[in-house]
Amino acid sequence: MVKRKRVCVIGAGVSGLASANAFKARGHEVTVYERGADLGGVWEPSRSYPGIKTQSPKDLYRYSGMAMPDDYPEWPSGRQVYEYLWSFAEKNELLPLIRFSHTVRHIDRRAEGGWRVKVEGTGGQSDTVAFDFVVVASGTFTDKNVLTHRGQQAFEAAGGTVMHSCEYTDPAMIRDKNVVVLGFSKSATDVAVNAVKEGARSVTMVYLEPVWRIPYHFAGLINFKRILYCRASEAMFLPWGAGGIGRAARALAKPLIWANWRALEALLTMQHGLKKLGLRPEKPIETTISCGLPIATEGFFDLVKAGRIRTIQGTFDHYEDGQVVLTGGEKLPLDVAIQATGWKLGVPYLDEAARAALLEDDGQYRLYRLIVNPDLPDLGFVGFNSSFATVLTSDMAAQWLVRYADGKLARQPTHKTMREWIAAHLAWRRKDRPAAKVYGGLCSAPFHFHHLDELLADMGARKRRRANPLAEAFLPPDADAYAAYLASVPEYRVDGTGTRAVRPDAPAPAATGQPVGA
């Protein structure tokens, strides 16, 4: 008999909604705490820069139980993703479960099991609520990574602007201004291209090193998902848990694999004109393919070729009146500095003991299946298995986690099993696949199929592959297929209650957890 649990979900973005849906569908009492005034996480409009769109095609960036609308383009805009997430929450009656503008400040372990969650609501009012299980779904993009350089205070006092890329929400901020973008990520090139199109006086990008960028279409013809997002391409990498036979097979195929990557580099170099632009990376592309691999912003290389975007290798040293001085001594006219410097990964509401159990000294996370830690019971992490198909992998992680919490996995792991898997996975990241160390090791890409195969096997899915072996080998993940795989998992449910949909500006529902002391 499965006990009905009081479940706290932290965050109402992609992963939080997946978690709330999974636990609610099993019949648990769910409360979602979202520090913002709306759902969507990074896709919430106030956090999105103009022109943002997905890096993944819409058929990959979706939940297993709900496709994106047919009239969405192949790569939906940020606003369209937000509206899709809103529709998912409405369809699954998740909105009444969400307490908007509520920030989790601290969680600590209860002696009798579960966790105490200290939450700060609107007006600074605090409350502490007891839950049987907590899902951390605040994601890998939690807090802005903001850099401060000498002279910034005086520069801003004189009328200059320094902002994070997520704060660039209105093109009027940069019109007729000298703009310098710090960074070379996808968001950096997106912002630079948008600034040119929106009438910036000048646009310069300052970056540490060039990176490989994948075009939306190879040679203008082939959608990149058909080359990089399939089992056949995944087989060119050594996955975690590979045995002797797998390692031997890969060793035999190594010359062919090497030739494939060199051909891909040659294609990208020619397609983007990287040598002439001085932007050809030195690192082999196969060592950089992970969750941080950027897609080439449409029009970026053309604008660089035309001289409308200037690129300089280096970084900021300090600000002066109306300019920024780079580490190489070059001075650039500056009105607006936009830091496309990413996000800080962390779980600040965990106490020191919990963080010590969760994190290695080098910042690598200790998570079995990238979801749970054996030394932190009644606690799980969803969305910490980042990928090129984040919505789908978060969805599957949430489905795995609720069954783990309820003891309903077909392969319910022991503490010993989890510790051994974590140790082996850490060793693999450090020795065989250093690129997997990005995001604290919380990246399942490019091993989407391998990761999802493990989760499905753990859940006891009777069906885990498409019937057509060629389709399974050469086509990208199919969310509808994964819905069918989940339908083959043994079903169960605890008693539940119905809900009704409300907007985020409606009165917040009472938390379903138990007030401490009650």
Side-chain angles (χ1 to χ4, degrees):
M1 185 70 178
V2 177
K3 175 188 174 185
R4 190 183 197 201
K5 296 177 179 63
R6 300 183 303 271
V7 179
C8 169
V9 176
I10 304 174
V14 164
S15 302
L17 296 177
S19 303
N21 185 52
F23 278 86
K24 173 181 174 289
R26 303 274 78 78
H28 295 294
E29 299 178 50
V30 178
T31 298
V32 181
Y33 291 119
E34 167 55 49
R35 67 180 181 179
D38 202 350
L39 59 75
V42 295
W43 299 109
E44 197 272 309
S46 69
R47 294 181 62 184
S48 300
Y49 52 82
I52 187 174
K53 64 180 182 178
T54 65
Q55 291 209 103
S56 298
K58 69 176 183 179
D59 55 344
L60 294 179
Y61 205 80
R62 52 160 286 198
Y63 296 109
S64 60
M66 181 176 165
M68 286 193 172
D70 291 339
D71 61 354
Y72 274 23
E74 179 80 338
W75 288 275
S77 68
R79 181 72 195 192
Q80 288 172 320
V81 175
Y82 165 75
E83 291 173 352
Y84 167 75
L85 296 176
W86 185 270
S87 297
F88 178 81
E90 283 190 316
K91 174 186 175 183
N92 294 288
E93 300 182 314
L94 304 180
L95 296 172
L97 311 180
I98 305 173
R99 303 196 74 183
F100 293 98
S101 301
H102 279 67
T103 302
V104 172
R105 294 300 184 191
H106 184 72
I107 70 173
D108 62 283
R109 185 80 176 134
R110 301 167 66 210
E112 62 270 38
W115 296 80
R116 282 182 294 269
V117 179
K118 184 178 180 180
V119 185
E120 183 179 299
T122 53
Q125 294 180 333
S126 295
D127 192 14
T128 300
V129 186
F131 289 94
D132 301 308
F133 198 91
V134 172
V135 182
V136 176
S138 47
T140 53
F141 300 121
T142 305
D143 295 308
K144 294 173 287 189
N145 182 33
V146 177
L147 306 180
T148 302
H149 298 90
R150 183 164 48 91
Q152 180 173 329
Q153 187 173 359
F155 171 76
E156 292 179 308
T161 301
V162 179
M163 69 177 79
H164 190 269
S165 56
C166 75
E167 296 170 319
Y168 171 51
T169 57
D170 184 353
M173 296 174 170
I174 54 82
R175 289 194 182 115
D176 200 32
K177 302 286 181 65
N178 294 308
V179 177
V180 178
V181 179
L182 179 62
F184 216 41
S185 62
K186 173 67 161 53
S187 61
T189 55
D190 281 351
V191 167
V193 169
N194 183 266
V196 170
K197 292 180 177 179
E198 293 294 343
R201 185 181 306 157
S202 67
V203 178
T204 304
M205 297 188 69
V206 177
Y207 65 96
L208 290 175
E209 61 180 351
V211 297
W212 292 106
R213 298 178 188 278
I214 303 301
Y216 285 102
H217 292 90
F218 284 104
L221 299 172
I222 304 172
N223 190 315
F224 73 86
K225 69 182 180 182
R226 305 203 178 279
I227 294 180
L228 293 180
Y229 289 6
C230 61
R231 284 189 186 270
S233 62
E234 188 173 310
M236 291 189 287
F237 299 93
L238 183 69
W240 62 85
I245 294 177
R247 288 178 179 271
R250 192 176 183 283
L252 289 173
K254 190 174 181 179
L256 292 176
I257 294 172
W258 182 90
N260 173 80
W261 293 126
R262 303 293 78 76
L264 180 58
E265 288 177 351
L267 175 61
L268 295 177
T269 299
M270 179 177 64
Q271 182 168 339
H272 296 320
L274 299 180
K275 278 191 175 180
K276 289 183 179 179
L277 297 176
L279 294 176
R280 191 182 191 281
E282 295 183 2
K283 293 180 179 178
I285 190 170
E286 66 270 27
T287 67
T288 66
I289 293 179
S290 68
C291 292
L293 181 70
I295 303 300
T297 302
E298 290 178 307
F300 170 69
F301 288 108
D302 290 336
L303 290 172
V304 174
K305 292 171 187 174
R308 299 183 67 188
I309 295 177
R310 185 183 179 196
T311 58
I312 302 176
Q313 190 165 1
T315 190
F316 288 9
D317 183 77
H318 66 277
Y319 296 95
E320 292 181 355
D321 186 22
Q323 59 187 2
V324 62
V325 182
L326 306 185
T327 48
E330 186 166 1
K331 296 182 178 182
L332 303 176
L334 177 67
D335 298 305
V336 180
I338 301 178
Q339 298 184 359
T341 46
W343 300 80
K344 293 179 181 178
L345 174 63
V347 191
Y349 36 81
L350 287 179
D351 61 27
E352 187 174 341
R355 285 198 295 270
L358 182 63
L359 286 163
E360 293 279 296
D361 290 341
D362 61 355
Q364 298 292 293
Y365 278 68
R366 303 184 68 253
L367 289 175
Y368 177 73
R369 300 292 197 242
L370 306 181
I371 303 172
V372 294
N373 181 292
D375 300 311
L376 297 173
D378 306 321
L379 183 69
F381 298 78
V382 173
F384 283 58
N385 56 340
S386 297
S387 72
F388 298 145
T390 298
V391 181
L392 178 61
T393 50
S394 291
D395 188 6
M396 297 295 290
Q399 296 292 340
W400 185 96
L401 180 60
V402 66
R403 290 167 173 82
Y404 168 85
D406 290 337
K408 286 292 186 177
L409 289 176
R411 302 194 310 197
Q412 193 75 18
T414 64
H415 283 198
K416 180 175 182 292
T417 297
M418 289 191 280
R419 291 191 180 99
E420 289 176 347
W421 188 93
I422 289 170
H425 202 272
L426 286 167
W428 169 79
R429 291 180 213 167
R430 290 166 176 152
K431 180 181 178 182
D432 295 321
R433 185 66 182 160
K437 293 168 67 175
V438 300
Y439 299 164
L442 303 175
C443 176
S444 59
F447 305 99
H448 305 85
F449 288 100
H450 184 64
H451 177 54
L452 296 177
D453 286 347
E454 287 184 328
L455 300 187
L456 286 167
D458 289 347
M459 287 188 276
R462 295 183 297 276
K463 183 178 181 182
R464 301 198 293 271
R465 298 283 182 105
R466 284 171 280 204
N468 186 329
L470 289 177
E472 187 63 23
F474 295 105
L475 292 182
D478 184 319
D480 288 327
Y482 279 94
Y485 304 158
L486 284 172
S488 75
V489 173
E491 185 61 45
Y492 75 97
R493 195 178 190 282
V494 300
D495 290 337
T497 57
T499 57
R500 60 185 180 83
V502 295
R503 304 294 293 189
D505 54 356
T512 58
Q514 179 181 355
V516 172

